[in-house]
Amino acid sequence: MTGLYYEEFTVGETIEHERRRTISESDNQRFCDMTMNQQPLHLDAEFAGETQFDERLVNGLYTMSLAVGISIPETTDGTIVANLSYDDVEHPTPVFHGDTIRVQSTVTDKRETSDGERGIVTMHVEVHNQDDDLVCEFERTVLSLKREHAEA
């Protein structure tokens, strides 16, 4: 377990996640297959080649899901009760096969639950590519354990 308990989160703190991931064509294809998303912009090179992007784009939900996965070890691994919401999702720049993404999470809010045994933590997650372009951002809100109430 490497995640943070509620009381270890500090509002204003930015966590630079060490893991990075280069997204392959296979990653994108499998995600689209698993989620039954057959959007030709993600899968059809001929179709995508005739768009403003000139090539296939990585599925935006894959980019977001990957960002959450990358962020888990330093934020909520073993210390989370539940993900409560993902809000204000934006994809300002497309992601392409071969792009390498990195993720950072900034704690924007935290408050105890009414029973005082857990806490709600909100983080602003930013995803950048290898050129430092912002490719995705969103708010992630989690229900976090407090250390004193965690099972031993």
Side-chain angles (χ1 to χ4, degrees), residues 40-60:
L41 189 56
H42 302 310
L43 302 171
D44 183 334
E46 293 289 320
F47 174 87
E50 295 185 17
T51 69
Q52 67 189 33
F53 305 108
D54 296 322
E55 61 182 295
R56 290 166 291 170
L57 303 182
V58 171
N59 186 310

Side-chain angles (χ1 to χ4, degrees), residues 1-68:
M1 179 179 61
T2 58
L4 301 174
Y5 288 100
Y6 169 76
E7 55 271 41
E8 296 173 311
F9 284 99
T10 302
V11 174
E13 170 188 26
T14 297
I15 302 163
E16 298 283 345
H17 304 290
E18 291 184 26
R19 290 192 177 126
R20 295 171 186 250
R21 176 70 186 261
T22 300
I23 300 173
S24 70
E25 178 180 0
S26 177
D27 294 333
N28 189 49
Q29 178 72 51
R30 284 190 313 233
F31 186 84
C32 288
D33 289 346
M34 286 188 300
T35 59
M36 299 176 67
N37 182 335
Q38 298 303 304
Q39 167 56 252
L41 189 56
H42 302 310
L43 302 171
D44 183 334
E46 293 289 320
F47 174 87
E50 295 185 17
T51 69
Q52 67 189 33
F53 305 108
D54 296 322
E55 61 182 295
R56 290 166 291 170
L57 303 182
V58 171
N59 186 310
L61 291 175
Y62 176 66
T63 301
M64 181 180 159
S65 296
L66 184 56
V68 171

Side-chain angles (χ1 to χ4, degrees), residues 11-146:
V11 174
E13 170 188 26
T14 297
I15 302 163
E16 298 283 345
H17 304 290
E18 291 184 26
R19 290 192 177 126
R20 295 171 186 250
R21 176 70 186 261
T22 300
I23 300 173
S24 70
E25 178 180 0
S26 177
D27 294 333
N28 189 49
Q29 178 72 51
R30 284 190 313 233
F31 186 84
C32 288
D33 289 346
M34 286 188 300
T35 59
M36 299 176 67
N37 182 335
Q38 298 303 304
Q39 167 56 252
L41 189 56
H42 302 310
L43 302 171
D44 183 334
E46 293 289 320
F47 174 87
E50 295 185 17
T51 69
Q52 67 189 33
F53 305 108
D54 296 322
E55 61 182 295
R56 290 166 291 170
L57 303 182
V58 171
N59 186 310
L61 291 175
Y62 176 66
T63 301
M64 181 180 159
S65 296
L66 184 56
V68 171
I70 287 172
S71 73
I72 285 173
E74 293 95 0
T75 58
T76 60
D77 185 22
T79 59
I80 190 175
V81 176
N83 282 305
L84 299 177
S85 68
Y86 299 98
D87 297 298
D88 301 322
V89 179
E90 294 187 22
H91 301 275
T93 306
V95 176
F96 300 98
H97 301 148
D99 281 356
T100 300
I101 64 165
R102 67 175 177 78
V103 181
Q104 67 182 36
S105 301
T106 301
V107 180
T108 58
D109 190 36
K110 67 183 258 190
R111 64 185 185 283
E112 287 188 15
T113 56
S114 59
D115 64 10
E117 294 183 7
R118 294 175 298 264
I120 297 171
V121 179
T122 301
M123 294 168 270
H124 180 78
V125 180
E126 291 185 356
V127 186
H128 294 87
N129 66 14
Q130 67 281 353
D131 298 321
D132 207 33
D133 297 322
L134 180 66
V135 298
C136 182
E137 65 180 324
F138 55 92
E139 302 295 320
R140 176 180 177 220
T141 302
V142 301
L143 181 59
S144 182
L145 293 170
K146 291 177 89 175

